[in-house]
């Protein structure tokens, strides 16, 4: 009806204005996100998804773009496979981790490294919410448990170990079915039998 046509015309004008704003301020993440949101009512789901992917390719370490992309996928979970959601979250985490390591190695201010690490934490929370929105509440909780165990209860003997080595040792703890943080009788990875075995192996 007339109301729908008017709403469509308003949305098209808003998109037109935002496109000009993005062209004038290509590094403004907030404006880019507003444009992507505004386009959702005008484009097909596949086109919207492609627009988010293109924006992220242009700025792969943008916390805001990554966060909003996962939020978009959560809002429209019927249009996304769970595997696609998980791949997007993993790609976001890898991009931010790599950028944080690069910043630390390059001598950038600690505040810059801290900001990237906070961004990674926010993305982790968004990924957990996305799992819940998709009907996988237990997996969402497990994501948060794993992050806390790995980062806050890492055995001292493994603190300086390469990430791959730490993850291999952590997998043994995770698969041992020992109580995890937040569960009754949880003692933390560093106090587990698996941690003692990892420390013995590192000392050998």
């Amino acid at each position: 009806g007339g109301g729908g046509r008017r709403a469509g015309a308003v949305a098209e004008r808003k998109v037109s204005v935002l496109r000009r704003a993005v062209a004038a301020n290509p590094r403004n993440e907030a404006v880019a996100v507003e444009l992507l949101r505004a386009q959702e009512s005008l484009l097909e789901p596949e086109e919207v998804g492609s627009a988010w992917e293109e924006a992220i390719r242009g700025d792969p370490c943008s916390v805001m773009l990554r966060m909003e992309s996962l939020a978009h996928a959560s809002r429209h979970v019927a249009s996304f496979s769970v595997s696609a959601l998980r791949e997007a979250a993993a790609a976001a985490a890898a991009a931010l981790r790599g950028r944080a390591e690069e910043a630390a190695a390059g001598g950038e201010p600690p505040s810059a490294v801290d900001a990237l690490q906070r961004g990674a934490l926010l993305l982790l929370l968004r990924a957990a919410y996305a799992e819940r929105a998709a009907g996988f509440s237990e997996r969402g909780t497990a994501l948060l448990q794993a992050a806390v165990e790995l980062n806050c209860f890492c055995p001292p003997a493994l603190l300086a170990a390469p990430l791959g080595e730490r993850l291999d040792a952590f997998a043994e703890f995770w698969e041992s079915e020992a109580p995890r943080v937040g569960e009754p009788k949880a003692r933390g990875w560093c106090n587990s039998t698996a941690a003692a075995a990892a420390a013995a192996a590192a000392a050998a």
Side-chain angles (χ1 to χ4, degrees):
R5 286 195 296 273
R6 282 194 296 274
V10 169
E12 287 177 358
R13 284 197 297 273
K14 181 177 181 179
V15 166
S16 178
V17 169
L18 286 169
R19 281 177 176 159
R20 290 197 296 273
V22 168
N25 304 276
R27 303 302 297 173
N28 189 315
E29 296 174 324
V31 175
V33 166
E34 281 301 314
L35 172 59
L36 289 161
R37 286 175 177 166
Q39 290 180 141
E40 289 185 9
S41 63
L42 300 176
L43 301 177
E44 294 296 324
E46 296 80 5
E47 294 175 307
V48 174
S50 296
W52 278 105
E53 290 171 7
E54 183 179 349
I56 287 172
R57 281 196 297 272
D59 193 358
C61 293
S62 166
V63 175
M64 180 179 287
L65 281 173
R66 293 283 190 178
M67 285 275 291
E68 291 297 333
S69 176
L70 288 175
H72 164 73
S74 298
R75 290 194 302 272
H76 303 278
V77 68
S79 302
F80 291 83
S81 68
V82 174
S83 60
L85 277 170
R86 291 170 182 164
E87 286 173 10
L96 278 185
R97 183 178 67 245
R99 179 67 188 91
E101 291 173 352
E102 181 183 287
E108 293 187 30
S111 59
V113 179
D114 289 345
L116 287 165
Q117 291 173 339
R118 285 195 299 272
L121 178 58
L122 289 171
L123 280 169
L124 176 69
L125 289 170
R126 177 59 67 187
Y129 292 148
E131 290 284 351
R132 184 170 183 172
F136 296 91
S137 295
E138 289 186 7
R139 186 181 176 98
T141 299
L143 273 176
L144 301 178
Q145 288 177 309
V148 173
E149 291 281 7
L150 184 61
N151 291 283
C152 301
F153 293 99
C154 180
L158 293 170
L159 284 173
L163 179 61
E165 186 176 325
R166 268 184 288 150
L167 289 176
D168 287 343
F170 180 70
E172 293 184 20
F173 161 71
W174 194 256
E175 292 167 7
S176 72
E177 298 187 2
R180 302 162 182 173
V181 65
E183 297 176 352
K185 298 183 179 180
R187 300 169 59 234
W189 176 27
C190 58
N191 297 308
S192 67
T193 303

